[in-house]
């Protein structure tokens, strides 16, 4: 089977990290710290052979004195967060990003901005929810509000046809082709696919079938 591309690898992480509990306490609120976010995602990035490279493109620093005369430093960073597929280093995804940090000592503004920026980039890129509930309660709450739409008969027929076509082009038993793709979708039966996952699988198999057909034609 062809290796997953960078978008598929990122989708695998997106599917696995849906929620991060707020474990850090401030004076008046709780929040998810950088260690909470990285702790959830770092291992998944390693599994998918992905690196995230932060690059500072521009910066701006402002300073002002507060009422007590102490200086406060406000650092702004224009950044590019670049995903790199280490299995194919030429395959990259660049995402413009912005970060800021406030410091009273003067030397930690950039570090705070980088830490803040990385945390929120990951939270927003993967659409991760944060909440005070424990993970199980949160997921039960989400599941109770929405029921995934099951695979349609049209989608099922399309997938079966695609599996048979891929089997013919690659000279691979159709059972093996089907089980391989269903494993990627984390299921062992085509009937257990949701409509959303089925649509994603249709796009993936169609793309890879076209690639395999071109190779055979060469």
């Amino acid at each position: 089977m062809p290796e997953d591309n960078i978008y598929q690898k990122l989708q695998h992480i997106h599917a696995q990290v849906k929620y991060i509990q707020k474990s850090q306490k401030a004076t008046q609120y709780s929040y998810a710290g950088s260690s909470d976010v990285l702790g959830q995602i770092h291992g998944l990035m390693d599994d998918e052979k992905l690196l995230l490279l932060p690059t500072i493109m521009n910066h701006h620093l402002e300073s002002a004195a507060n009422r007590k005369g102490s200086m406060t430093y406000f650092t702004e960073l224009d950044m590019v967060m670049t995903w790199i597929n280490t299995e194919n280093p030429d395959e990259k995804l660049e995402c413009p990003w912005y970060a800021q940090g406030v410091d009273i000592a003067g030397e930690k503004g950039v570090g705070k901005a980088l830490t803040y920026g990385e945390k929120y980039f990951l939270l927003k890129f993967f659409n991760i929810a944060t909440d005070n509930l424990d993970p199980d309660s949160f997921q039960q709450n989400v599941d109770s509000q929405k029921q995934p739409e099951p695979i349609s008969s049209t989608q099922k027929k399309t997938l079966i046809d695609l599996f048979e076509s891929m089997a013919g082009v690659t000279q691979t038993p159709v059972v093996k082709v089907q089980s391989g793709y269903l494993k990627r979708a984390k299921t062992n039966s085509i009937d257990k696919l949701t409509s959303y996952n089925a649509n994603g699988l249709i796009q993936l198999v169609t793309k890879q079938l076209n690639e395999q057909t071109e190779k055979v034609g060469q």
Side-chain angles (χ1 to χ4, degrees):
M1 287 289 182
E3 295 288 344
D4 288 343
N5 63 42
I6 194 169
Y7 295 98
Q8 291 163 334
K9 290 170 177 281
L10 290 168
Q11 176 63 44
H12 294 164
I13 297 176
H14 184 278
Q16 294 183 70
V17 185
K18 301 176 181 179
Y19 161 85
I20 293 177
Q21 186 177 6
K22 295 179 180 179
S23 67
Q24 307 297 317
K25 301 290 185 181
T27 304
Q28 297 179 333
Y29 59 91
S30 300
Y31 64 96
S34 295
S35 59
D36 298 318
V37 179
L38 291 175
Q40 287 270 10
I41 297 175
H42 191 276
L44 298 174
M45 289 169 56
D46 287 342
D47 291 342
E48 298 294 340
K49 303 297 190 296
L50 291 175
L51 289 178
L52 179 60
L53 177 66
T55 304
I56 299 174
M57 308 301 293
N58 196 8
H59 72 280
H60 178 69
L61 175 65
E62 290 186 4
S63 60
N66 60 25
R67 294 179 180 179
K68 296 181 179 180
S70 300
M71 296 297 294
T72 299
Y73 301 89
F74 179 63
T75 302
E76 296 179 288
L77 303 178
D78 293 319
M79 305 181 65
V80 173
M81 308 294 282
T82 305
W83 291 105
I84 302 172
N85 179 5
T86 61
E87 293 184 310
N88 180 13
D90 291 332
E91 190 177 30
K92 302 176 181 179
L93 176 62
E94 295 185 348
C95 306
W97 195 244
Y98 166 82
Q100 58 182 224
V102 178
D103 184 42
I104 58 174
E107 77 277 8
K108 297 181 180 179
V110 172
K112 288 184 176 181
L114 288 171
T115 299
Y116 178 92
E118 180 184 49
K119 179 181 78 170
Y120 279 97
F121 172 77
L122 292 171
L123 285 173
K124 298 308 176 183
F125 186 89
F126 291 115
N127 312 119
I128 301 171
T130 59
D131 201 278
N132 291 325
L133 296 173
D134 65 87
D136 290 337
S137 296
F138 176 85
Q139 192 59 48
Q140 289 171 7
N141 185 48
V142 171
D143 292 342
S144 67
Q145 295 182 40
K146 62 177 184 179
Q147 187 66 32
E149 183 181 350
I151 185 173
S152 68
S153 58
T154 301
Q155 289 175 314
K156 182 177 179 179
K157 182 180 184 303
T158 299
L159 276 174
I160 291 174
D161 291 342
L162 285 170
F163 293 152
E164 291 178 350
S165 297
M166 179 65 83
V169 171
T170 60
Q171 298 297 302
T172 304
V174 66
V175 174
K176 186 175 181 180
V177 171
Q178 177 170 315
S179 64
Y181 280 110
L182 291 178
K183 185 177 180 180
R184 288 191 180 192
K186 303 187 185 307
T187 185
N188 58 4
S189 171
I190 195 171
D191 293 315
K192 294 180 181 179
L193 289 170
T194 64
S195 177
Y196 176 81
N197 290 336
N199 187 55
L201 208 54
I202 288 171
Q203 294 180 26
L204 172 61
V205 182
T206 300
K207 178 178 180 297
Q208 294 184 347
L209 179 60
N210 290 336
E211 292 173 352
Q212 290 296 320
T213 303
E214 290 179 4
K215 289 181 181 179
V216 172
Q218 294 174 355

